[in-house]
Amino acid sequence: MRRLLLTLATTTLVVAIASCTPDDGRVVAPSGDAAALSSARLEPVTAQSRVRAVPSDQWDAMVRAGMVREECPVQDRDQLRRVDLNFTDFDGQDHRGHLVVNADTAESVRHVFDQLYERAFPIARMVGVEEFDGDVGASLAANNTSAYNCRRSDQINAPFGESPHANGRAVDINPVQNPWVDLRCDCWTPSADNKERTPGAGKIVADDAVVRLFEAQGWVWQNIDVPDYMHFDTGYPSEPPPPVRQES
């Protein structure tokens, strides 16, 4: 069934792209919010996720955004991988997105998100934080699911060397549905609208399917002393996950 849906989604995507293509063959660039998602939304939805090297142009954008700096634990592109993933949005439409993670974490992330896709767990969007100029606040406000980010000094929650996000071993999922308490302002971020842990589309609650999938791979949910419902990591200080368990 998922493969049939993928075929239909790919056909729909090709038609949609064709409708935005002038007679001279140029593809009209999206504007506004769509522009920030163009690199993910214009990729065809396929049957297979994949792990690959971070493209050089994406790495350059990450460096320009300040996500790779002298104090960051990641200094070389080979330390990271890009995991290309299919996901279903809140309208039931399939898309192609990606997460940038540590090379030692890529297969674990791929396994979990393949399972989430099979369960049609809704995800709003999934692009690298360089699309938001490295600003984690902007990424959270846009309800962007993301992973690697050596955050700015005024946005960090842990020393750079120990930080799960700075090491590419943490994922934040649907921040709007799964906010956290930012101690810098003692406020729910990106908003308090979904602070109550009641089941709902895209929300993560204790012992639900999302938590169980991550925990089966050795990850920890909201590994911090304040509510952080969006956040999973492999441990603090940051460390690699155990080998992937295929049976989960």
Side-chain angles (χ1 to χ4, degrees), residues 23 50 56 80 84 113 162-163 170 174 182 194 197 202 216 224 248:
D23 293 339
R50 63 172 175 170
S56 58
L80 300 174
D84 293 318
F113 278 86
E162 300 177 354
S163 165
N174 289 341
D182 187 342
N194 290 297
R197 284 302 85 190
I224 193 171
S248 60

Side-chain angles (χ1 to χ4, degrees), residues 9-103:
T10 302
T11 302
T12 301
L13 181 63
V14 170
V15 172
I17 293 174
S19 67
C20 297
T21 304
D23 293 339
D24 62 4
R26 291 178 294 110
V27 175
V28 177
S31 61
D33 184 57
L37 298 176
S38 60
S39 62
R41 293 293 172 100
L42 293 182
E43 284 193 63
V45 177
T46 65
Q48 298 294 327
S49 58
R50 63 172 175 170
V51 175
R52 59 176 170 133
V54 176
S56 58
D57 58 344
Q58 184 174 16
W59 173 260
D60 292 343
M62 291 162 62
V63 173
R64 288 194 301 271
M67 296 166 60
V68 181
R69 308 182 301 278
E70 183 178 357
E71 65 266 31
C72 298
V74 170
Q75 293 292 308
D76 190 276
R77 184 163 63 107
D78 288 343
Q79 293 176 258
L80 300 174
R81 294 291 185 272
R82 172 170 162 149
V83 186
D84 293 318
L85 298 159
N86 296 324
F87 69 94
T88 302
D89 69 15
F90 284 81
D91 294 323
Q93 301 298 309
D94 289 346
H95 301 284
R96 188 76 161 174
H98 70 270
L99 295 170
V100 175
V101 299
N102 196 294

Side-chain angles (χ1 to χ4, degrees), residues 180-189 191-192 195 225-227:
W180 80 293
V181 174
D182 187 342
L183 291 177
R184 283 174 289 264
C185 60
D186 192 25
C187 61
W188 288 94
T189 302
S191 79
K195 67 179 182 179
D225 292 334
V226 297

Side-chain angles (χ1 to χ4, degrees), residues 198-216:
T198 55
K203 294 177 74 173
I204 301 167
V205 299
D207 199 38
D208 70 0
V210 184
V211 173
R212 291 196 301 271
L213 284 169
F214 273 100
E215 288 182 345

Side-chain angles (χ1 to χ4, degrees), residues 88-182:
T88 302
D89 69 15
F90 284 81
D91 294 323
Q93 301 298 309
D94 289 346
H95 301 284
R96 188 76 161 174
H98 70 270
L99 295 170
V100 175
V101 299
N102 196 294
D104 62 25
T105 308
E107 287 298 339
S108 179
V109 166
R110 177 184 182 181
H111 181 76
V112 170
F113 278 86
D114 280 351
Q115 296 291 312
L116 293 179
Y117 179 61
E118 286 298 320
R119 289 161 170 76
F121 176 80
I123 293 175
R125 61 185 66 183
M126 189 191 297
V127 297
V129 185
E130 73 278 358
E131 296 280 358
F132 302 91
D133 199 31
D135 184 345
V136 64
S139 179
L140 298 182
N143 208 15
N144 182 48
T145 292
S146 66
Y148 171 79
N149 187 11
C150 187
R151 294 171 173 175
R152 302 170 182 178
S153 58
D154 62 343
Q155 295 184 331
I156 60 172
N157 305 314
F160 294 113
E162 300 177 354
S163 165
H165 277 292
N167 280 278
R169 299 188 185 112
V171 179
D172 290 338
I173 301 176
N174 289 341
V176 169
Q177 286 73 33
N178 304 294
W180 80 293
V181 174
D182 187 342

